[in-house]
Amino acid sequence: MRSVDEHRQVVAGLFATAASTAVPLADALGLVLAQDVIAPLSLPGFDNSAMDGYAVIADEIADASADQPVSLPVVEDIPAGRTDALTLKAGTAHRIMTGAPLPAGATAVVPVEATNAATDTVEIRVGAKPGQHIRRAGEDVTAGTTVLAAGQVVTPAALGLTAALGLGELSVIPRQRVLVMSTGSELVAAGTPLKPGQIYESNGVMLTAAVREAGADVVFTPMTDDNVEVFREALDRYCADVDLIITTGGVSAGAYEVVKDALTDSVDFVKVAMQPGMPQGCGTVNGTPIITLPGNPVSALVSFEVFIRTPLRAAMGLPNPERPRRTAVLTEDLTSPRGKRQFRRGVLDADAGTVTSYGPPASHHLRWLASANCLLEIGEDVDQLTAGSQVHLWDLA
């Protein structure tokens, strides 16, 4: 058998980081910057008011108070967006709104709350220091500086900054485009009445969610029966438009193993020393990487976590591609098959630092995986663990 670590290396070798591409800001959230973002202009681009109030010369109102207000004629009204250049003359005030350009000559802004809010002659009831309530040009960003670095994940705040700089697109590492295929003549779509021997398809839904949660896009999700010709036709139809193919089912040692029968010449089908998820396969189809997972649902999702999620995220440049690894104190005795690395569902109590296995280890018990928050990783050379011992785990929370 191939070891888990060996198979992880083989699978990881199938992935390559895609060339960077420019995308509109609306499509960039969650992607990784491929290039630094250099500010083409300063922010703010001009001196402007930080308050709704009055632009004044600070020295002229230095002694203003509620008992002895300073009265000034209001000769201009400056809303945000006014574009003509204005100059404040001595002995006057301009009413000004937040974000509006400061007139030349003004040295402070008095908040409207400290005045009588008049539009003809304003009474100013507090003094002001030079520079008060003024946003100076370039105090946030200076043109020519690096404001976002390559390798950063694009966040809402990063998009806001980019838009404020007048940039309409960003150079990013694109999302991997993934084809998820479920196989099996017993599978039917939800909403279809079940006949004897049929089950509802769930792996495609589950793996599609896992791919998207990892940051990639699922672009096609066909389902085929155990017919090699039908499977191969569907594969050929979609594979040219994706970066990765994931199949589930049809890889074991029995009859009617459609994936194995169809791809013997292009996929290396192996047994991996793990439980669950022993039958695995990987290779390329028409130059596109393909990873074939077992059909039992727990095996499929555990295999995705162990072999696919990390290199998939790494191919998109995403930080921390691996699940967090921890150790915790086991609350019970456990047995494990020697010679295989076992991944058991578990419930981690992070506050107490303890973990309890959750549900039977068999690969069809999906209910327990749905409520687990970690995977216990038990090494190949271990056949039993006692309560109170340290155990390694993958944090899925």
Side-chain angles (χ1 to χ4, degrees), residues 51-54 110-117 123 125-126 133:
M51 305 285 287
D52 293 335
Y54 297 84
V110 178
V112 66
E113 294 85 355
T115 73
N116 65 347
E123 287 187 359
R125 297 165 181 163
V126 297
H133 302 309

PDB file of all heavy atoms in Angstrom, residues 51-54 110-117 123 125-126 133:
ATOM      1  N   MET A  51     -15.847  68.010   9.197  1.00  0.00           N
ATOM      2  CA  MET A  51     -17.100  68.247   9.902  1.00  0.00           C
ATOM      3  C   MET A  51     -18.035  69.081   9.041  1.00  0.00           C
ATOM      4  O   MET A  51     -17.604  69.793   8.128  1.00  0.00           O
ATOM      5  CB  MET A  51     -16.843  69.012  11.220  1.00  0.00           C
ATOM      6  CG  MET A  51     -15.843  68.373  12.169  1.00  0.00           C
ATOM      7  SD  MET A  51     -16.511  66.959  13.035  1.00  0.00           S
ATOM      8  CE  MET A  51     -17.611  67.762  14.194  1.00  0.00           C
ATOM      9  N   ASP A  52     -19.318  68.991   9.336  1.00  0.00           N
ATOM     10  CA  ASP A  52     -20.243  70.010   8.855  1.00  0.00           C
ATOM     11  C   ASP A  52     -20.054  71.231   9.740  1.00  0.00           C
ATOM     12  O   ASP A  52     -20.142  71.133  10.980  1.00  0.00           O
ATOM     13  CB  ASP A  52     -21.693  69.532   8.962  1.00  0.00           C
ATOM     14  CG  ASP A  52     -22.003  68.376   8.025  1.00  0.00           C
ATOM     15  OD1 ASP A  52     -21.311  68.240   6.999  1.00  0.00           O
ATOM     16  OD2 ASP A  52     -22.934  67.605   8.328  1.00  0.00           O
ATOM     17  N   GLY A  53     -19.803  72.392   9.129  1.00  0.00           N
ATOM     18  CA  GLY A  53     -19.552  73.575   9.951  1.00  0.00           C
ATOM     19  C   GLY A  53     -19.200  74.785   9.123  1.00  0.00           C
ATOM     20  O   GLY A  53     -19.781  75.014   8.048  1.00  0.00           O
ATOM     21  N   TYR A  54     -18.186  75.518   9.578  1.00  0.00           N
ATOM     22  CA  TYR A  54     -17.799  76.775   8.940  1.00  0.00           C
ATOM     23  C   TYR A  54     -16.286  76.842   8.824  1.00  0.00           C
ATOM     24  O   TYR A  54     -15.565  76.611   9.813  1.00  0.00           O
ATOM     25  CB  TYR A  54     -18.322  77.976   9.742  1.00  0.00           C
ATOM     26  CG  TYR A  54     -19.833  78.015   9.783  1.00  0.00           C
ATOM     27  CD1 TYR A  54     -20.540  77.280  10.719  1.00  0.00           C
ATOM     28  CD2 TYR A  54     -20.548  78.754   8.844  1.00  0.00           C
ATOM     29  CE1 TYR A  54     -21.932  77.285  10.743  1.00  0.00           C
ATOM     30  CE2 TYR A  54     -21.941  78.766   8.851  1.00  0.00           C
ATOM     31  CZ  TYR A  54     -22.619  78.027   9.801  1.00  0.00           C
ATOM     32  OH  TYR A  54     -23.992  78.029   9.814  1.00  0.00           O
ATOM     33  N   VAL A 110     -15.030  75.147  12.181  1.00  0.00           N
ATOM     34  CA  VAL A 110     -15.784  75.137  13.426  1.00  0.00           C
ATOM     35  C   VAL A 110     -17.036  74.292  13.220  1.00  0.00           C
ATOM     36  O   VAL A 110     -17.799  74.541  12.276  1.00  0.00           O
ATOM     37  CB  VAL A 110     -16.181  76.568  13.840  1.00  0.00           C
ATOM     38  CG1 VAL A 110     -17.023  76.531  15.123  1.00  0.00           C
ATOM     39  CG2 VAL A 110     -14.942  77.425  14.043  1.00  0.00           C
ATOM     40  N   PRO A 111     -17.272  73.278  14.062  1.00  0.00           N
ATOM     41  CA  PRO A 111     -18.468  72.438  13.886  1.00  0.00           C
ATOM     42  C   PRO A 111     -19.741  73.263  13.999  1.00  0.00           C
ATOM     43  O   PRO A 111     -19.824  74.216  14.784  1.00  0.00           O
ATOM     44  CB  PRO A 111     -18.355  71.428  15.029  1.00  0.00           C
ATOM     45  CG  PRO A 111     -16.913  71.446  15.427  1.00  0.00           C
ATOM     46  CD  PRO A 111     -16.431  72.834  15.182  1.00  0.00           C
ATOM     47  N   VAL A 112     -20.758  72.869  13.227  1.00  0.00           N
ATOM     48  CA  VAL A 112     -22.012  73.604  13.239  1.00  0.00           C
ATOM     49  C   VAL A 112     -22.621  73.611  14.627  1.00  0.00           C
ATOM     50  O   VAL A 112     -23.322  74.574  15.013  1.00  0.00           O
ATOM     51  CB  VAL A 112     -22.981  73.007  12.195  1.00  0.00           C
ATOM     52  CG1 VAL A 112     -23.393  71.588  12.577  1.00  0.00           C
ATOM     53  CG2 VAL A 112     -24.196  73.893  11.998  1.00  0.00           C
ATOM     54  N   GLU A 113     -22.349  72.583  15.433  1.00  0.00           N
ATOM     55  CA  GLU A 113     -22.916  72.522  16.785  1.00  0.00           C
ATOM     56  C   GLU A 113     -22.388  73.636  17.689  1.00  0.00           C
ATOM     57  O   GLU A 113     -23.005  73.935  18.723  1.00  0.00           O
ATOM     58  CB  GLU A 113     -22.608  71.161  17.414  1.00  0.00           C
ATOM     59  CG  GLU A 113     -23.284  69.984  16.739  1.00  0.00           C
ATOM     60  CD  GLU A 113     -22.500  69.449  15.554  1.00  0.00           C
ATOM     61  OE1 GLU A 113     -21.460  70.062  15.187  1.00  0.00           O
ATOM     62  OE2 GLU A 113     -22.921  68.418  14.977  1.00  0.00           O
ATOM     63  N   ALA A 114     -21.257  74.237  17.327  1.00  0.00           N
ATOM     64  CA  ALA A 114     -20.663  75.308  18.135  1.00  0.00           C
ATOM     65  C   ALA A 114     -21.039  76.687  17.601  1.00  0.00           C
ATOM     66  O   ALA A 114     -20.382  77.683  17.902  1.00  0.00           O
ATOM     67  CB  ALA A 114     -19.150  75.159  18.176  1.00  0.00           C
ATOM     68  N   THR A 115     -22.110  76.741  16.796  1.00  0.00           N
ATOM     69  CA  THR A 115     -22.554  78.004  16.196  1.00  0.00           C
ATOM     70  C   THR A 115     -24.071  78.102  16.295  1.00  0.00           C
ATOM     71  O   THR A 115     -24.735  77.195  16.806  1.00  0.00           O
ATOM     72  CB  THR A 115     -22.142  78.082  14.717  1.00  0.00           C
ATOM     73  OG1 THR A 115     -22.976  77.179  13.969  1.00  0.00           O
ATOM     74  CG2 THR A 115     -20.671  77.708  14.525  1.00  0.00           C
ATOM     75  N   ASN A 116     -24.598  79.199  15.740  1.00  0.00           N
ATOM     76  CA  ASN A 116     -26.059  79.322  15.648  1.00  0.00           C
ATOM     77  C   ASN A 116     -26.596  78.758  14.341  1.00  0.00           C
ATOM     78  O   ASN A 116     -27.777  78.903  14.035  1.00  0.00           O
ATOM     79  CB  ASN A 116     -26.486  80.782  15.814  1.00  0.00           C
ATOM     80  CG  ASN A 116     -25.981  81.650  14.664  1.00  0.00           C
ATOM     81  OD1 ASN A 116     -25.127  81.215  13.876  1.00  0.00           O
ATOM     82  ND2 ASN A 116     -26.483  82.893  14.572  1.00  0.00           N
ATOM     83  N   ALA A 117     -25.720  78.147  13.515  1.00  0.00           N
ATOM     84  CA  ALA A 117     -26.081  77.471  12.267  1.00  0.00           C
ATOM     85  C   ALA A 117     -26.689  78.417  11.236  1.00  0.00           C
ATOM     86  O   ALA A 117     -27.428  77.983  10.351  1.00  0.00           O
ATOM     87  CB  ALA A 117     -27.019  76.296  12.529  1.00  0.00           C
ATOM     88  N   GLU A 123     -22.805  83.059  14.275  1.00  0.00           N
ATOM     89  CA  GLU A 123     -22.217  83.329  15.594  1.00  0.00           C
ATOM     90  C   GLU A 123     -21.383  82.117  15.988  1.00  0.00           C
ATOM     91  O   GLU A 123     -21.898  81.012  16.116  1.00  0.00           O
ATOM     92  CB  GLU A 123     -23.310  83.564  16.641  1.00  0.00           C
ATOM     93  CG  GLU A 123     -24.003  84.891  16.517  1.00  0.00           C
ATOM     94  CD  GLU A 123     -24.941  85.132  17.684  1.00  0.00           C
ATOM     95  OE1 GLU A 123     -25.048  84.238  18.574  1.00  0.00           O
ATOM     96  OE2 GLU A 123     -25.573  86.202  17.722  1.00  0.00           O
ATOM     97  N   ARG A 125     -19.189  80.213  18.743  1.00  0.00           N
ATOM     98  CA  ARG A 125     -19.216  80.242  20.206  1.00  0.00           C
ATOM     99  C   ARG A 125     -18.069  79.482  20.860  1.00  0.00           C
ATOM    100  O   ARG A 125     -18.058  79.299  22.075  1.00  0.00           O
ATOM    101  CB  ARG A 125     -20.560  79.655  20.677  1.00  0.00           C
ATOM    102  CG  ARG A 125     -21.747  80.498  20.197  1.00  0.00           C
ATOM    103  CD  ARG A 125     -23.059  79.780  20.320  1.00  0.00           C
ATOM    104  NE  ARG A 125     -24.174  80.618  19.825  1.00  0.00           N
ATOM    105  CZ  ARG A 125     -25.370  80.164  19.513  1.00  0.00           C
ATOM    106  NH1 ARG A 125     -25.625  78.849  19.626  1.00  0.00           N
ATOM    107  NH2 ARG A 125     -26.313  80.979  19.083  1.00  0.00           N
ATOM    108  N   VAL A 126     -17.115  79.037  20.066  1.00  0.00           N
ATOM    109  CA  VAL A 126     -15.908  78.397  20.605  1.00  0.00           C
ATOM    110  C   VAL A 126     -14.711  78.845  19.789  1.00  0.00           C
ATOM    111  O   VAL A 126     -14.839  79.181  18.605  1.00  0.00           O
ATOM    112  CB  VAL A 126     -15.996  76.851  20.576  1.00  0.00           C
ATOM    113  CG1 VAL A 126     -17.120  76.334  21.457  1.00  0.00           C
ATOM    114  CG2 VAL A 126     -16.143  76.347  19.161  1.00  0.00           C
ATOM    115  N   HIS A 133     -10.157  70.136  12.645  1.00  0.00           N
ATOM    116  CA  HIS A 133     -11.211  69.547  11.806  1.00  0.00           C
ATOM    117  C   HIS A 133     -10.930  69.690  10.315  1.00  0.00           C
ATOM    118  O   HIS A 133     -11.864  69.815   9.509  1.00  0.00           O
ATOM    119  CB  HIS A 133     -12.580  70.139  12.154  1.00  0.00           C
ATOM    120  CG  HIS A 133     -12.971  69.947  13.586  1.00  0.00           C
ATOM    121  ND1 HIS A 133     -12.938  68.723  14.211  1.00  0.00           N
ATOM    122  CD2 HIS A 133     -13.386  70.856  14.536  1.00  0.00           C
ATOM    123  CE1 HIS A 133     -13.329  68.863  15.476  1.00  0.00           C
ATOM    124  NE2 HIS A 133     -13.591  70.140  15.702  1.00  0.00           N
TER     125      HIS A 133
END
